[in-house]
Amino acid sequence: MKRYIKNIIPAAAFALAFGMTSCTSDLDVEPINPNLSLEYDVEGLFNKCYANIALAGNGGANGDCDIDGLDGGTTGFVRQMWNSNELTSDEAICHWGDAGIESFCYNTYDASHPMLNGYYARLTTGISYCNQYLNVAADHDATMTAEIRFIRALHYYLLMDAYGNIPFATSLAQPVRLTRAEAYTWIEGELLDLEANLSEAKAKKSSDANYGRVDKAACWMLLSRLYLNAEVYTGTAQWAKAAEYAKKVMSSSYRLNTKGVEFTYTDENGEEQKGLWTAYQMLFMGDNGETDAAYEGVFPILQDGLTTTSWGTSLFLMASTYDGDMHSNPAQPVATNGTDQNWGGNKARAELILKFFPNGDAPQVESYNMSEAAGDDRALFDGVGRESIYNQLGYSGDFKDGYAVAKFTNFKTNGAAGNDATFPDMDFFLFRTAEAYLTYAEATARLNGGATTGEGTQAINDLRKRANASEKAAYTLNEILDEWSREFYFEGRRRVDLVRFGKFGGNSDYVWSWKGGTKNGRNFSADRNIFAIPAAQVKGAITQNPGY
């Protein structure tokens, strides 16, 4: 429902009546002065818990940031999740000089890393907002309370996944320390307990009530992700539970988007041509909340170019991956991603391109011609003016040193422009139904000796059929890992998948270009499968992770 999220700024302006405008990052917010008025706006507090995921602060893109000492664009939830999980992996590399980029790209991050500090602060600040709501408004509405408990559990999950041992509190009090296994147990119990009070799983568009709000399907998706990685977190695998909860999502009204949209345009010779926005492309366009693509978005983080603006969410995904030469829409006479921003920073590592072109022969063409050459609609890469898929100079290279990713655009399927020239309308689907398909396929394959079952094979083939890619009779675990990349590259999850497959830190049989800081790649310590706790937060009960 748009009044909750897309028009969140006016309501959120009232959310901090308790003086939380500048939230600390370790969960122990100063107690409320008992002499102050205890009036509060329940919907404002409710909105603020969602807004922490979508916005940097109360004022939108150009307002004050909720995280002290860091700018709002850098500390955006999606941007920090993306940086930590993509730049450290075989999918993305960046040449910007921002503090911390090089150590992400080369896997040399430590306890002083500024972006890991920003991610930690964004997550713990979000937990504090949820604790605030639950402390003063838990009895207001059972469904709203379940949603905020879910959002808190999501923040705790991401914190646990990234940092291992974590600070933990369910009130505005000094946190205690939970080990990773203890955090896992709490998150699992919390999700199982709150599920009953969430609204029923129902696929929605932005015109439908409660679009953008958490329902049971989001809970099932997070549980399936938690169980899929249980062996990493606790030492005990939970493949059957991962498959069970993934199947719940697959059996719900949420569904894969399988039908593209045709459009016509006039080419440079004045002749009318026909084009097609593929079903996969529609998931990452400016009207993905208004078309059938929305039915795949189990938990969309909503963006609107006028009312819900951020430098660190959808705009970051578009602007950081485009330069001014990339022409990703044949109907447009100029090179553009649908916004006036093209920062030219994040680009593909060679290994991502090799997932689609195993012989390294990706052509030097625009993204709308690349997918045909790959035989896979998901190959949304730009090769124009790029002589090699390899980043020859690594972090020191420029944006055309390697291929670009043109996955995210602000174009609308009907040809209309966005609501604003700068800020996009593309919602970011934090959970997509496709994740349930791959989770189910992987979990059942692990229970089946490492090869997909009939149902698991069909789940992967459903994704490949949607992408007009060739289908197979069965898939090995390594092939499933590659499929995770083909389907979800640049969506902020790759490190997690590599760790689960034993391909990240430690004595791995898989290296990628510039892994560990060398051109041909090298292994690095398994300690780096989790990040360092920011140095300033190692205090009281919180201890630093091994290897840092």
Side-chain angles (χ1 to χ4, degrees):
M1 193 157 76
K2 288 190 177 182
R3 74 185 273 246
Y4 278 98
I5 305 295
K6 288 220 174 185
N7 294 325
I8 201 167
I9 298 296
F14 298 101
L16 304 183
F18 286 145
M20 290 176 61
T21 348
S22 181
C23 192
T24 61
S25 61
D26 57 359
L27 308 186
D28 54 343
V29 176
E30 286 296 315
I32 300 166
N33 184 335
N35 296 318
L36 296 179
S37 170
L38 295 184
E39 293 181 3
Y40 54 86
D41 179 341
V42 173
E43 285 199 358
L45 288 170
F46 179 79
N47 284 348
K48 186 61 182 178
C49 296
Y50 275 99
N52 183 67
I53 300 175
L55 307 173
N58 285 356
N62 297 315
D64 290 338
C65 177
D66 288 345
I67 309 299
D68 288 338
L70 295 169
D71 70 88
T74 300
T75 64
F77 172 93
V78 169
R79 181 170 183 168
Q80 289 300 340
M81 180 182 70
W82 193 98
N83 282 337
S84 64
N85 289 325
E86 293 291 347
L87 292 179
T88 57
S89 80
D90 61 342
E91 290 186 349
I93 196 167
C94 185
H95 67 89
W96 287 340
D98 302 38
I101 291 291
E102 181 178 7
S103 57
F104 264 155
C105 294
Y106 292 165
N107 311 101
T108 56
Y109 36 83
D110 58 23
S112 64
H113 196 282
M115 293 189 183
L116 287 177
N117 181 52
Y119 189 33
Y120 190 94
R122 178 58 65 184
L123 293 174
T124 53
T125 297
I127 291 166
S128 292
Y129 290 143
C130 292
N131 282 343
Q132 180 80 340
Y133 179 89
L134 294 170
N135 271 257
V136 301
D139 296 332
H140 174 73
D141 179 274
T143 300
M144 291 170 67
T145 293
E147 290 178 45
I148 300 308
R149 289 175 65 192
F150 172 89
I151 293 173
R152 182 177 63 181
L154 170 66
H155 281 70
Y156 270 128
Y157 167 78
L158 294 170
L159 194 68
M160 175 269 291
D161 173 79
Y163 299 97
N165 88 98
I166 61 171
F168 177 81
T170 55
S171 64
L172 301 179
Q174 189 71 25
V176 299
R177 173 183 179 267
L178 291 187
T179 65
R180 207 178 206 188
E182 289 170 338
Y184 173 96
T185 298
W186 182 86
I187 294 164
E188 178 190 22
E190 181 75 348
L191 292 172
L192 292 173
D193 187 64
L194 64 85
E195 176 194 341
N197 285 325
L198 290 172
S199 59
E200 294 303 313
K202 182 180 180 182
K204 297 171 280 290
K205 294 182 179 181
S206 64
S207 56
D208 297 322
N210 299 327
Y211 175 73
R213 290 178 62 176
V214 170
D215 64 16
K216 283 184 169 63
C219 188
W220 300 334
M221 191 73 86
L222 184 53
L223 278 165
S224 71
R225 187 182 291 190
L226 182 73
Y227 290 135
L228 188 66
N229 293 285
E231 190 170 27
V232 173
Y233 302 145
T234 71
T236 301
Q238 298 288 355
W239 309 122
K241 289 183 179 179
E244 174 189 353
Y245 280 90
K247 191 68 171 179
K248 285 177 178 284
V249 178
M250 295 167 68
S251 301
S252 74
S253 68
Y254 288 94
R255 62 179 186 267
L256 299 178
N257 186 48
T258 58
K259 186 176 181 181
V261 173
E262 291 185 345
F263 63 95
T264 59
Y265 66 96
T266 303
D267 65 17
E268 58 186 8
N269 298 316
E271 298 182 358
E272 187 174 277
Q273 302 288 345
K274 287 188 176 182
L276 174 71
W277 295 114
T278 68
Y280 186 76
Q281 281 178 297
M282 290 171 64
L283 299 168
F284 314 103
M285 296 181 67
D287 58 354
N288 61 348
E290 289 70 59
T291 67
D292 285 358
Y295 296 142
E296 186 166 334
V298 175
F299 185 16
I301 298 176
L302 308 191
Q303 296 286 279
D304 183 279
L306 298 178
T307 61
T308 311
T309 61
S310 169
W311 295 103
T313 310
S314 298
L315 182 59
F316 167 75
L317 298 173
M318 295 175 195
S320 71
T321 55
Y322 282 74
D323 66 6
D325 298 329
M326 290 171 62
H327 195 278
S328 58
N329 182 353
Q332 293 289 330
V334 296
T336 176
N337 55 20
T339 78
D340 59 11
Q341 301 292 305
N342 40 71
W343 308 339
N346 296 315
K347 56 195 174 185
R349 296 207 197 215
E351 287 68 25
L352 174 56
I353 307 302
L354 290 169
K355 298 291 189 294
F356 295 90
F357 294 93
N359 297 320
D361 55 350
Q364 292 179 278
V365 297
E366 294 89 350
S367 58
Y368 47 83
N369 292 322
M370 189 70 72
S371 58
E372 182 176 358
D376 193 318
D377 289 348
R378 300 171 295 187
L380 298 172
F381 307 115
D382 184 275
V384 176
R386 303 168 190 274
E387 297 181 359
S388 172
I389 66 171
Y390 290 92
N391 299 283
Q392 301 294 341
L393 300 176
Y395 165 79
S396 301
D398 62 30
F399 189 63
K400 285 187 168 58
D401 178 27
Y403 274 41
V405 172
K407 184 171 183 173
F408 306 98
T409 75
N410 198 39
F411 300 124
K412 297 182 187 293
T413 51
N414 63 4
N419 290 329
D420 183 82
T422 297
F423 296 107
D425 304 316
M426 186 199 89
D427 299 333
F428 176 70
F429 296 159
L430 185 63
F431 295 149
R432 288 199 285 119
T433 308
E435 178 178 340
Y437 280 65
L438 280 171
T439 296
Y440 183 82
E442 180 188 333
T444 50
R446 291 184 182 275
L447 292 168
N448 190 49
T452 48
T453 63
E455 281 190 296
T457 299
Q458 187 60 54
I460 295 178
N461 282 339
D462 284 347
L463 298 179
R464 294 185 63 82
K465 182 178 180 180
R466 185 257 291 277
N468 290 302
S470 59
E471 301 173 35
K472 294 185 178 182
Y475 297 86
T476 66
L477 286 175
N478 281 336
E479 289 173 323
I480 293 171
L481 177 60
D482 286 347
E483 204 61 32
W484 275 112
S485 185
R486 293 187 191 99
E487 181 67 29
F488 283 98
Y489 68 91
F490 273 49
E491 292 184 52
R493 63 168 294 139
R494 184 59 172 171
R495 178 191 63 86
V496 182
D497 295 328
L498 290 172
V499 170
R500 185 174 67 257
F501 276 81
K503 307 290 188 181
F504 196 70
N507 187 24
S508 170
D509 62 355
Y510 180 49
V511 295
W512 54 84
S513 55
W514 300 104
K515 179 182 182 182
T518 65
K519 186 175 182 179
N520 294 323
R522 66 173 180 85
N523 283 326
F524 51 81
S525 171
D527 292 334
R528 296 188 179 275
N529 284 343
I530 55 177
F531 298 119
I533 304 291
Q537 304 302 333
V538 181
K539 56 187 178 181
I542 307 305
T543 60
Q544 188 54 271
N545 290 318
Y548 296 103

